[in-house]
Amino acid sequence: MPKGGPREGAGRPRGSRRKRTRELIATAEALGPTPLEVLLESMHAAHAEGDRAEAVDCAKAAAPYVHPKLAPTSPPAPVHEEMDYTVLSDTELGQLEKIYSKLLKQPPASKAPPAQSRVKRGRYPRSISSGAQ
């Protein structure tokens, strides 16, 4: 017999409840209906009587316990395919450039402003930041 490590059938069976959990469930059942059961019962009673507003209020109160909120998900990653631009004429390439520049809100390459310095300027004018007056 091998020593150590997990053994087949050892431990508490999956899905079974511990002794304390069973005791808590028995205590809760002995106290009477749960708040959710009361809400659902009053919702059904109000609906049967025709009081739709009260039934809706009960349903709103019970909904978070019955239907959890969905977690936000990110959209799937876009699929990028390689484009073969060599098959396009100069006119078609110019049209594509215009369309893409409008989409990206950038002027076409022929009308682009001159490049500016990327050096960050100081927060204060030179006379204050350097201490000179």
Side-chain angles (χ1 to χ4, degrees):
M1 178 173 187
K3 294 185 177 185
R7 292 178 299 282
E8 185 92 18
R12 182 169 53 91
R14 187 174 241 172
S16 66
R17 296 189 169 141
R18 293 175 39 198
K19 182 179 177 183
R20 182 168 182 182
T21 305
R22 289 191 303 257
E23 290 172 357
L24 288 173
I25 290 172
T27 304
E29 288 174 350
L31 292 175
T34 65
L36 177 61
E37 291 170 342
V38 172
L39 279 171
L40 293 175
E41 185 179 320
S42 58
M43 177 188 72
H44 290 299
H47 183 68
E49 293 173 5
D51 189 1
R52 185 171 176 83
E54 185 180 342
V56 168
D57 288 341
C58 291
K60 284 181 184 178
Y65 299 101
V66 180
H67 306 287
K69 289 184 179 181
L70 296 176
T73 59
S74 60
V79 177
H80 297 288
E81 295 180 12
E82 291 291 323
M83 296 289 296
D84 184 15
Y85 293 107
T86 59
V87 296
L88 299 177
S89 67
D90 290 338
T91 308
E92 292 169 331
L93 287 172
Q95 290 173 348
L96 274 178
E97 185 180 359
K98 284 182 185 178
I99 291 170
Y100 286 141
S101 66
K102 287 179 184 177
L103 289 174
L104 299 174
K105 296 187 181 200
Q106 295 177 352
S110 59
K111 297 180 183 178
Q116 296 179 354
S117 172
R118 293 186 181 185
V119 177
K120 290 186 177 181
R121 298 182 185 260
R123 186 170 176 173
Y124 300 107
R126 252 192 191 157
S127 61
I128 296 173
S129 63
S130 63
Q133 302 244 348

